[in-house]
Amino acid sequence: MLDGKHALVTGGGTGIGLAIARALADAGAQVTITGRRESVLEEVSGGGITYVVMDVTDEESVQDGVAAAVANSGPVQICVPNAGIAEGRALHKTDTEFWRRIMATNLDGAFWTVRESLGSMRKTEWGRVIAVSSIAGLKGLKGAAAYTASKHGMIGLIRGLSEDYLGTPFTFNAVCPGYVDTEIVTRNAKAIAERAGISRGEAREMMVGANKHGRLIAPEEVAAAVLWLCGPGSDSVNGQAIEIAGGQF
Ligand code: NDP
């Protein structure tokens, strides 16, 4: 289905990004995954997946990283800004350094990744931008205003670009998962447990319960939605924020 297409997946060495990279590679795409830890990327590369080390909080690193990916594998026709960090803090504990770190990773990183990828995509006849936002991109997540703002921002970016490029062969969508079974949930269970004075198991159960169907989502379920947005017949789906959360939020 995706033979001859080059896909770029930021944060593609782990979790949701890795599941997306594998699904796209299985469908025939040449996939470039990015992240800061070369050993992690190296371990999962092969079988249609290559890697570029890139820090999405650094504009020059994104420019150089995307340029290297294009030089290696051709124009980026599927761009998946997925790299992100999920940390929560009450407003009075949110200093500028914390705010900037969340924004730089989740929002600046997505902006630079899409802008740099579009340079090559626009020279082709078909393209998809699929941002990994969150349910926190659509509703407020208690105790995580900065994260919520960054994920809302990603959806704003996608909606704005979908208007800018109307009538072109390029579409812009976001997927918005609920709690997905990755390291982020494990790390957050630890942080919530410490903050709330409960066990990690109880904290994890709180996250499981927040998904409407009462279970964690598999990374592959998010990847399946991304694959569908790249598949035949998806051309008219544009500017959407698609919930993958087991129910409506
Ligand atoms: P992971 O922690 O496994 O993935 C995050 C990825 O982002 C890592 O591969 C990491 O690689 C990369 N990354 C983080 N910071 C940077 C940076 N500065 N530069 C480059 N890469 C970076 O968690 P998930 O797979 O769960 O998260 C993926 C996305 O999904 C995130 O945007 C997250 O907000 C979103 N999401 C996750 C949910 C969940 O419940 N798990 C729910 C909803 C959305 P490295 O550290 O090597 O740089």
Side-chain angles (χ1 to χ4, degrees):
M1 180 172 97
L2 298 176
D3 277 352
K5 301 284 193 297
H6 175 205
L8 179 89
V9 183
T10 66
T14 64
I16 295 170
L18 179 57
I20 293 171
R22 285 182 170 149
L24 294 173
D26 285 349
Q30 176 61 45
V31 183
T32 305
I33 55 172
T34 76
R36 292 164 301 179
R37 291 166 296 165
E38 184 164 13
S39 57
V40 170
L41 298 170
E42 195 173 13
E43 200 179 317
V44 298
S45 62
I49 300 178
T50 53
Y51 72 86
V52 169
V53 176
M54 178 173 113
D55 182 344
V56 297
T57 66
D58 177 343
E59 183 174 13
E60 216 175 293
S61 176
V62 178
Q63 286 170 327
D64 292 348
V66 176
V70 171
N72 287 338
S73 305
V76 176
Q77 287 188 278
I78 300 168
C79 172
V80 183
N82 160 79
I85 48 173
E87 288 173 45
R89 268 191 207 177
L91 184 63
H92 65 279
K93 291 183 184 161
T94 299
D95 56 19
T96 304
E97 188 277 328
F98 178 80
W99 173 267
R100 276 308 317 149
R101 194 157 54 82
I102 298 276
M103 290 299 162
T105 311
N106 297 354
L107 190 51
D108 298 357
F111 157 58
W112 288 323
T113 300
V114 175
R115 188 189 65 190
E116 295 307 308
S117 298
L118 255 283
S120 62
M121 189 186 291
R122 287 177 62 198
K123 295 181 184 135
T124 74
E125 296 302 313
W126 180 93
R128 296 282 179 267
V129 175
I130 303 160
V132 180
S133 178
S134 166
I135 282 302
L138 297 166
K139 70 181 277 265
L141 186 63
K142 192 172 159 57
Y147 181 71
T148 300
S150 73
K151 291 295 183 179
H152 272 67
M154 285 176 87
I155 291 177
L157 176 68
I158 287 296
R159 286 180 173 154
L161 293 173
S162 74
E163 289 290 316
D164 286 348
Y165 288 89
L166 281 179
T168 73
F170 313 122
T171 63
F172 300 80
N173 292 288
V175 289
C176 301
Y179 287 103
V180 181
D181 196 1
T182 70
E183 274 302 306
I184 278 188
V185 162
T186 308
R187 278 195 299 268
N188 280 352
K190 185 168 174 279
I192 292 169
E194 280 162 14
R195 272 209 311 269
I198 55 176
S199 73
R200 284 186 202 181
E202 285 167 327
R204 194 178 168 88
E205 278 315 305
M206 274 169 55
M207 287 186 269
V208 170
N211 283 346
K212 298 281 174 169
H213 53 357
R215 66 167 176 83
L216 291 181
I217 295 152
E220 290 73 21
E221 294 180 87
V222 182
V226 171
L227 196 60
W228 169 71
L229 285 167
C230 295
S234 63
D235 305 37
S236 297
V237 182
N238 195 13
Q240 300 304 305
I242 299 167
E243 295 177 21
I244 304 165
Q248 290 180 67
F249 273 83

